Amino acid sequence: MSRSLPISGVAASADAVDAPADADTFDATSDAPFAGALTGILEVYDPAMCCATGVCGPGVDPALLTLARDLRWLSAQGVSVQRFGLSQEPAAFVANARVTGLMQAFGDAALPAVLINGLVRWYGRYPSRDEMVKSLQEADAIDDCCAPGSGCC
């Protein structure tokens, strides 16, 4: 089962921070709301870690802190975020044929794997917030374009 993300404490209010006018002026390091619509399903398949998020113990990896913040932000923007840990939820890895295939091909080097709308977008590393936003926008544009009756496909 996927873990829900706590969304508290760091969310910026929309009237406290100016939202960017468009994706060209988007600041990936800001907690400001994104001006465009972000939709889709983002799944993170984490390697085996000591705890569910890897943000524990005396030596916390800064990349995991950044990822946790970025996932909370994406969730607040309307993206459905699911995160699975190999140590805690091995069945989720087996149930996803794409993740299983990555692990068969690359072993432990395949993780972390990040999927958007069921498609593998990154493996072997965590993407930046900017990369995730751009990929979600591209996935949404493809979905819009290829909708029945859209005339573009």
Side-chain angles (χ1 to χ4, degrees):
M1 175 172 270
S2 63
R3 295 184 302 278
S4 62
L5 298 171
I7 303 177
S8 63
V10 295
S13 92
D15 36 8
V17 180
D18 291 333
D22 57 37
D24 294 332
T25 60
F26 171 62
D27 178 5
T29 61
S30 170
D31 279 335
F34 185 70
L38 286 177
T39 59
I41 301 169
L42 186 139
E43 299 167 275
V44 179
Y45 290 83
D46 288 306
M49 295 187 280
C50 60
C51 63
T53 62
V55 183
C56 56
V60 176
D61 182 352
L64 293 172
L65 288 173
T66 300
L67 178 70
R69 179 180 176 189
D70 292 347
L71 294 178
R72 279 193 309 270
W73 183 87
L74 287 166
S75 182
Q77 306 311 306
V79 176
S80 174
V81 176
Q82 299 173 336
R83 192 169 183 187
F84 306 97
L86 183 58
S87 298
Q88 293 78 23
E89 301 158 294
F93 289 70
V94 174
N96 188 306
R98 293 176 197 248
V99 173
T100 300
L102 277 175
M103 293 185 70
Q104 288 172 342
F106 301 105
D108 291 340
L111 300 178
V114 180
L115 286 67
I116 292 183
N117 296 338
L119 300 176
V120 176
R121 297 298 178 131
W122 302 274
Y123 66 92
R125 70 176 180 91
Y126 291 109
S128 68
R129 182 187 296 187
D130 189 47
E131 288 175 309
M132 290 185 281
V133 167
K134 286 179 182 177
S135 190
L136 285 160
Q137 289 175 316
E138 290 168 3
D140 193 41
I142 290 169
D143 290 345
D144 289 345
C145 172
C146 296
S150 67
C152 70
C153 298

